[in-house]
Amino acid sequence: MSKIRVTIWNEFIHEKHNPEVKKLYPEGIHGMLAKALAASDLEIRTATLDEPEHGLTQEVLDNTDVLLWWGHAAHDKVADEVVQRVLTRVWEGMGIIALHSAHMAKVFRQLNGTSGKLHWRESGDKERIWVTNPAHPITYNLPEYFELPYEEMYGEPFMIANDAQVLMISWFEGGEVFRSGFTLQRGNGKLFYFRPGHESFPTYYNENVQKVLANAIRWAKPVISTPYPKTHRPEALEKLSTKDFAFGKAGIIKD
Ligand code: ZN
């Protein structure tokens, strides 16, 4: 059986500029995840924003079955050309897993089709993640719920597509709830969004978080992969204004 080819993409900014984050993820979130998710049926590579073409050349994407995406501070630095390339590969059949603050990434927003905005608070709330669909391959082998002692709070309303299939709902000790895990299909490709993963907490070391990602990779691998007909490609990517969503802006709506 051929291996599932996984590319873990990370903007890789906080880990370089914030000593606390660097301590948690010395090899970057992408490097840590590549090690944690390593398995005999996976071929894992990583890519980061500062590489030429953000490490997502046509060749890399053509040889990727499932793309993981972590971004936060530099959504607007991702070239539209690369975004378009990723979208086309998803339409062809590549799976994509959007992590945490990737809810504002250009690729996610294009696939989601709505703003992706949400309420947020960075206070280290306890998070309890309830599995609402225990029959889905992504929630396989998870307990009824699991907890993260400290996380950033994301709360509803979360602007996601109406065809989202929700698999998990989070409760935060501040009282908020959030649709923390959901799937979409776009073209031939499967998308999974997974909420936890704020850079200043050791979330990706959590056993259940890793289980979700491991399950999601196997679920998201292409069922079929066909070149997207050129005639169906949009003329140009819809212009996305990212300046309203600049990193660090105060306010109740998550940037
Ligand atoms: Zn965060």
Side-chain angles (χ1 to χ4, degrees), residues 6-10 29-30 33-34 37 44-47 67-68:
V6 179
T7 301
I8 303 175
W9 188 87
N10 179 14
I29 286 173
H30 56 296
L33 282 177
L37 298 170
I44 302 180
R45 75 170 104 198
T46 62
L67 176 67
L68 278 71

Side-chain angles (χ1 to χ4, degrees), residues 28-142:
I29 286 173
H30 56 296
M32 183 270 163
L33 282 177
K35 277 192 183 159
L37 298 170
S40 57
D41 62 332
L42 304 182
E43 188 185 300
I44 302 180
R45 75 170 104 198
T46 62
T48 56
L49 181 71
D50 56 5
E51 291 172 40
E53 301 179 57
H54 314 321
L56 299 176
T57 60
Q58 191 65 56
E59 201 204 332
V60 167
L61 288 171
D62 283 345
N63 290 288
T64 297
D65 295 314
V66 181
L67 176 67
L68 278 71
W69 191 283
W70 199 101
H72 178 225
H75 296 317
D76 59 338
K77 301 279 190 312
V78 178
D80 285 353
E81 209 183 313
V82 173
V83 173
Q84 186 61 64
R85 211 179 277 159
V86 171
L87 296 180
T88 302
R89 280 289 295 133
V90 173
W91 297 332
E92 288 174 351
M94 182 182 76
I96 184 161
I97 300 173
L99 300 168
H100 187 58
S101 39
H103 69 92
M104 289 307 285
K106 288 181 189 176
V107 284
F108 174 78
R109 291 170 65 210
Q110 286 285 335
L111 293 166
N112 179 32
T114 85
S115 73
K117 286 190 174 184
L118 47 83
H119 286 264
W120 69 293
R121 177 179 60 247
E122 195 177 338
S123 58
D125 280 56
K126 175 157 89 175
E127 176 176 10
R128 181 176 294 165
I129 300 165
W130 289 91
V131 173
T132 58
N133 183 353
H136 197 279
I138 294 178
T139 56
Y140 177 72
N141 234 351
L142 284 178

Side-chain angles (χ1 to χ4, degrees), residues 70 72 100-101 120 122 151-152 154 195 197-199 254:
W70 199 101
H72 178 225
H100 187 58
S101 39
W120 69 293
E122 195 177 338
E151 250 295 348
E152 179 181 25
Y154 279 9
R195 195 217 77 82
H198 187 64
E199 69 277 0
K254 167 68 179 169

